[in-house]
């Protein structure tokens, strides 16, 4: 509703920061609040707070370098195009690639140079590794640098980022999101009902829905 996050891709319900979040004039304030809120959830809650972000985002929180493989879970088609460039001799293919890229945000095409004077420098078989590295960095950060920094600033105000250095990205995801598989029977055994009973209609419907998914 607030245009802060979007689904990573059509086959994945995990989230990524929406590059178009700037349409919400208070978006950076919201991201800072979200960072604080998640950090507080770690400190004061017994259970994990569920915000299913993409694993590469956790790598960014840890200050780890993102690699081309990280793109696969966010944008498989884009990832496959980079793999093709990596595995083929682009000089022989006659591709006219330059150190620049166009992308669409809210119906408008935005042009970005991957390096200074990138529009004038052609990608060759000799320099394509540099191109792939710059393209990876751009794809993982395009249009979300300020939002990510606001999130980290808010998080850091409650839990110092350096405390997270003890985790890798998978461990951090587990800390924030918990286990992805839910044991319905265990959940039922340990549920405490207030103003309801196990046989109350809303409760019965709730468990039926839980078992169905």
């Amino acid at each position: 509703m607030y245009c802060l996050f979007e689904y990573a891709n059509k086959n994945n319900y995990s989230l990524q920061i929406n590059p178009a979040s700037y349409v919400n004039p208070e978006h950076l304030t919201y991201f800072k609040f979200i960072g604080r809120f998640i950090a507080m959830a770690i400190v004061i809650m017994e259970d994990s707070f569920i915000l299913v972000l993409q694993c590469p985002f956790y790598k960014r929180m840890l200050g780890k370098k993102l690699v081309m493989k990280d793109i696969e879970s966010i944008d498989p088609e884009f990832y496959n195009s980079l793999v093709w460039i990596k595995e083929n001799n682009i000089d022989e293919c006659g591709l006219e690639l330059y150190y620049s890229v166009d992308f669409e945000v809210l119906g408008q095409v935005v042009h970005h140079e991957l390096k200074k004077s990138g529009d004038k420098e052609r990608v060759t078989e000799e320099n394509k590794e540099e191109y792939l590295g710059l393209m990876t960095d751009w794809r993982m950060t395009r249009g979300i640098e300020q939002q990510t920094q606001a999130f980290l600033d808010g998080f850091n105000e409650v839990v110092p980022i350096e405390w997270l250095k003890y985790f890798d990205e998978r461990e951090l995801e587990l800390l924030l999101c918990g286990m992805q598989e839910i044991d319905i029977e265990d959940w039922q055994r340990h549920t405490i009902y207030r103003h309801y009973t196990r046989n109350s209609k809303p409760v019965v419907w709730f468990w039926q829905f839980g078992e169905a998914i």
Side-chain angles (χ1 to χ4, degrees):
M1 288 177 57
Y2 292 90
C3 205
L4 301 178
F5 296 96
E6 62 182 1
Y7 290 121
N9 60 70
K10 61 184 179 181
N11 299 317
N12 193 324
Y13 286 105
S14 56
L15 301 174
Q16 62 184 6
I17 292 176
N18 188 348
S21 66
Y22 60 81
V23 299
N24 183 333
E26 301 295 327
H27 71 133
L28 296 182
T29 301
Y30 279 116
F31 278 112
K32 191 170 185 178
F33 166 77
I34 292 168
R36 288 173 177 164
F37 188 79
I38 293 177
M40 288 180 65
I42 294 175
V43 173
I44 66 177
M45 294 177 67
E46 293 182 0
D47 298 319
S48 298
F49 176 79
I50 299 178
L51 179 66
V52 188
L53 293 165
Q54 281 289 320
C55 190
F57 186 81
Y58 301 119
K59 290 184 73 172
R60 292 195 68 188
M61 289 182 68
L62 297 170
K64 291 190 174 183
K65 182 175 176 58
L66 296 167
V67 297
M68 199 169 78
K69 183 70 174 175
D70 292 321
I71 299 176
E72 186 175 20
S73 61
I74 294 176
D75 193 337
E77 291 183 7
F78 190 87
Y79 169 74
N80 289 334
S81 69
L82 295 185
V83 171
W84 190 92
I85 292 172
K86 183 178 181 66
E87 294 179 348
N88 291 272
N89 189 316
I90 62 173
D91 290 342
E92 296 177 355
C93 297
L95 289 180
E96 289 194 14
L97 291 176
Y98 292 85
Y99 279 81
S100 60
V101 62
D102 294 328
F103 67 106
E104 185 177 312
V105 179
L106 297 178
Q108 293 186 334
V109 176
V110 179
H111 183 72
H112 175 76
E113 289 187 316
L114 298 172
K115 60 190 295 188
K116 187 175 181 180
S117 301
D119 283 334
K120 301 176 181 178
E121 183 172 349
R122 187 167 178 172
V123 180
T124 66
E125 184 65 19
E126 183 179 354
N127 65 17
K128 73 178 182 180
E129 287 299 327
E130 179 191 29
Y131 171 81
L132 291 172
L134 292 173
M135 187 65 85
T136 296
D137 291 340
W138 168 80
R139 180 58 186 84
M140 301 304 295
T141 62
R142 67 179 187 189
I144 63 169
E145 293 89 345
Q146 289 183 311
Q147 299 95 313
T148 301
Q149 190 57 54
F151 176 95
L152 294 176
D153 288 344
F155 191 99
N156 193 58
E157 288 181 0
V158 180
V159 176
I161 292 292
E162 59 264 25
W163 290 6
L164 303 180
K165 303 300 182 181
Y166 297 101
F167 302 97
D168 63 26
E169 60 273 14
R170 295 296 179 183
E171 292 169 335
L172 181 57
E173 181 180 26
L174 183 61
L175 176 67
L176 292 175
C177 300
M179 300 295 292
Q180 297 298 311
E181 295 183 2
I182 299 175
D183 187 333
I184 295 294
E185 292 182 359
D186 181 70
W187 191 4
Q188 290 175 331
R189 285 195 302 270
H190 295 89
T191 295
I192 299 173
Y193 300 98
R194 293 188 177 92
H195 310 298
Y196 289 93
T197 69
R198 175 66 180 83
N199 296 319
S200 299
K201 273 191 176 181
V203 174
V204 172
W205 293 336
F206 178 81
W207 292 125
Q208 287 176 344
F209 178 78
E211 291 169 355
I213 60 174

